[in-house]
Structures are given as C-alpha cells and as structure tokens.
Amino acid sequence: MSQPPVVIWAPAVKRLLHYKDLVPRLEEVLGKFSKRDSAEVLQPVRTAVPLQKHNGFMLSMPAYMENTGILSTKLVCLYKRNEGSTLPSTQATMLLLDPECGNMKAVMDGEVITHMRTAAVSAISAKLLMHPEAEVLTILGTGKQALSHYDVFTEMFAFKEVRVWSHTRQRADMFCQHVPGPLKAFSSAEEAVRGADVIVTVTRSTEPVLFGAWVKPGAHVSAVGACRPDWRELDDALMKEAVLYVDSREGAMAESGDVILSGAKVFAELGDVVNGAKPALREKTTVFKSLGMGAQDAVSAQLVFEQWKTEAGQH
C-alpha cells in the first residue's frame, strides 16, 4: 500500500533548492529534450483552460523521463491582474508521482520552483549566448521573477552595473532599496536598455516594452513574460533582427505571441546549443524566448524531493 504523499511548503522548497545544484540539471534536461531521437524526455505542449470570469488560465504541464523515472505535472493558475491589484498573478503546485504505481510521492509548492527554474534557464541562455565581456545587466520588471533573475545572474556572473525599470518609478526604487547590490532605478525603459549587454524582460505586459531600436548590437535578451499567443514584450524589429533561440520550438510556435505575431524564425533550441548541434552566436544580437517546460519543473521537483529525503534521513 502506498504511503501518503510528502507535502513540502514554499519555505522548505526555498531552503532545499540552490542554483549551484539546479543549473547543471536544467542544462542537462534541455540537452536531452532537444535530442529528438531520444525518448528520455516526454513532454506535450501545456494545456490551457480559460478562467474567463477571473481573467486567467489554468495550465497543466506534465512530463515523464523514463531513464530517470521522473513523472510529474505542474498546475498553474495565471491571471492578468489590474494595476494595483493585491491578488497574486500566478499560483502553482507541483505533483511528483511514482511512474510504476501511479501514486503521488510528493506535493510541493510550485511558485518557488517556477521562479528559480525560469531564472536558472535564463542564466543558462546568458552563459551560452551573451558576450563574454558583458558588464551591464538590465532587468525590465520588478516582480518575483525579477528578483529570482537578479539572484541567479549576480551569483553566476560579475556585472559592473545592474539597471532596473518598472512601469512605475516607485516600484523600481523599492526594488533597488530592498535588494542588496549596486542597482540603479530608471524611469524610462529606453534609458535602462541603451548600452546594456544583457536584458531580461520579466513583465506582465501584453504589449511590447522592449524595442529593437534601443538594443545594443551584440546584446543578449532573455524574454520571460508574454506567455500567451496574443501577448507581447518585444517589438517586431527586435524579433526579426535578432537570432532567436527558444526552449521548445513546439511550445514557442503554439504559445509565444512574440514569435507568432512577429513571424520571426527560430534559429535553435537552447538544448541544440548545449548539445553542440547549433552554434552560440555570441557576436550577434540574440533573443532567448523562454516559455518554460514541464521537464524543467520535473527535474527541479525531483531535486527538491531528493534533498528532502536526505534531510529527513531517508535514502
């Protein structure tokens, strides 16, 4: 008879999950996913159920890795909130299952996993694609994803300057006040972007906030927001001029408004670069369009579960 599932709340997930352990696992799973002749990563495009009354969606993101025996799904509720709303824009729950029996092994908070794995994959894109002498990082957005991206980017890279912009200067100032480090708040997105070597977009915007005319030639952009087919963060000029990398071609063509509406051509999946199948064109202006994958959540949840078992003395 199966045991009741372990329940791991957000504070424990945050304590157990560390970028130094997470980044290598995510880089590995990106490579495995992009090997199309391998059944190591089985992951359909996520399904979305509209929550029209509440201006949101419920997303389901299953994944199965046969060789490592990881079976999971993430359930995410995603909302477009009005300015000033105190309600969360996302809520996520991870379910980790035993693939042989089908019973649930663990239920854990999915918010921390989502924020950390998303930021870690963005950092992997920067490691592979940004100019090696990059000095200036710009973050457009000041929410939880902005914080997780700041944490991992400053942990992995040595930027001399970090710029922050939000739709309101007050939010940018508050972010800089509460986050340790040499940050500078900007009132204008254009001023924050011009001259930056790496740009991260983590906004709730449904219209472009980053324009190609502002972007320094050879800069790297990691675009995280705009995860619906009719939402945008980047304008057509940037999407068409830059070399476009994605986490999943199938996902990008089904879900990314930046890709679909601009008609931009995908050059490679990030896993193709990890595998050496496609080059990292560091000298070019590059965009990594991140949508997130169930496989990323799966290996992150498995890592949390392993750490929990070690801490609890279970092997």
Side-chain angles (χ1 to χ4, degrees):
M1 184 174 178
S2 61
Q3 296 294 315
V6 172
V7 179
I8 308 176
W9 299 113
V13 175
K14 194 166 187 177
R15 186 182 73 250
L16 296 168
L17 199 56
H18 303 281
Y19 287 119
K20 64 180 177 61
D21 305 315
L22 182 60
V23 168
R25 293 208 184 190
L26 288 169
E27 195 163 338
E28 181 182 16
V29 82
L30 286 166
K32 287 179 177 179
F33 174 78
S34 293
K35 288 182 178 177
R36 291 296 185 264
D37 58 345
S38 169
E40 170 64 7
V41 179
L42 301 177
Q43 173 199 278
V45 173
R46 59 187 156 198
T47 57
V49 177
L51 308 174
Q52 292 185 349
K53 181 179 178 181
H54 306 288
N55 205 12
F57 297 88
M58 186 189 77
L59 309 176
S60 176
M61 301 173 64
Y64 175 48
M65 274 150 277
E66 190 166 84
N67 292 346
T68 51
I70 303 174
L71 176 63
S72 76
T73 192
K74 185 171 75 173
L75 301 176
V76 189
C77 287
L78 173 70
Y79 303 92
K80 183 182 176 185
R81 300 298 189 192
N82 293 325
E83 190 72 26
S85 173
T86 58
L87 295 174
S89 59
T90 60
Q91 292 282 296
T93 304
M94 281 297 309
L95 308 177
L96 197 61
L97 298 93
D98 184 324
E100 183 178 5
C101 301
N103 61 293
M104 200 179 304
K105 297 193 295 184
V107 180
M108 61 186 76
D109 175 85
E111 282 294 285
V112 175
I113 285 175
T114 300
H115 296 147
M116 291 186 67
R117 65 85 159 143
T118 304
V121 172
S122 292
I124 291 168
S125 82
K127 185 181 84 166
L128 297 172
L129 300 173
M130 76 180 187
H131 193 280
E133 297 178 2
E135 295 183 343
V136 180
L137 168 66
T138 290
I139 301 174
L140 303 183
T142 52
K144 292 179 180 178
Q145 282 285 9
L147 180 58
S148 62
H149 277 74
Y150 174 80
D151 286 343
V152 70
F153 271 69
T154 54
E155 181 176 318
M156 289 179 60
F157 312 112
F159 292 104
K160 291 184 178 178
E161 182 182 353
V162 181
R163 305 171 181 176
V164 178
W165 171 85
S166 182
H167 284 288
T168 68
R169 177 59 187 260
Q170 181 183 15
R171 283 208 208 114
D173 286 334
M174 287 179 63
F175 186 90
C176 293
Q177 289 166 11
H178 289 91
V179 176
L183 290 86
K184 183 178 180 182
F186 283 75
S187 301
S188 160
E190 180 178 356
E191 290 178 4
V193 165
R194 285 199 179 272
D197 300 297
V198 179
I199 304 157
V200 174
T201 61
V202 279
T203 72
R204 299 179 189 176
S205 182
T206 58
E207 299 293 334
V209 293
L210 179 61
F211 295 83
W214 304 346
V215 176
K216 171 184 175 179
H220 173 63
V221 178
S222 180
V224 176
C227 59
R228 298 299 304 153
D230 56 345
W231 295 1
R232 299 290 301 269
E233 276 192 318
L234 316 182
D235 78 335
D236 284 354
L238 178 57
M239 290 300 298
K240 290 178 179 178
E241 291 168 7
V243 181
L244 176 61
Y245 297 80
V246 297
D247 44 16
S248 161
R249 285 178 182 270
E250 189 180 11
M253 296 310 299
E255 298 181 297
S256 171
D258 284 321
V259 175
I260 296 166
L261 299 177
S262 69
K265 302 300 182 185
V266 175
F267 175 72
E269 291 180 341
L270 207 56
D272 293 326
V273 181
V274 172
N275 295 333
K278 286 290 183 74
L281 301 176
R282 293 177 181 269
E283 73 282 4
K284 303 282 189 179
T285 303
T286 53
V287 167
F288 169 59
K289 178 56 203 172
S290 169
L291 284 162
M293 304 192 304
Q296 297 166 4
D297 296 310
V299 297
S300 304
Q302 179 66 21
L303 178 57
V304 171
F305 188 56
E306 289 172 8
Q307 300 282 51
W308 177 88
K309 287 196 296 183
T310 298
E311 192 176 78
Q314 299 182 20
H315 301 286

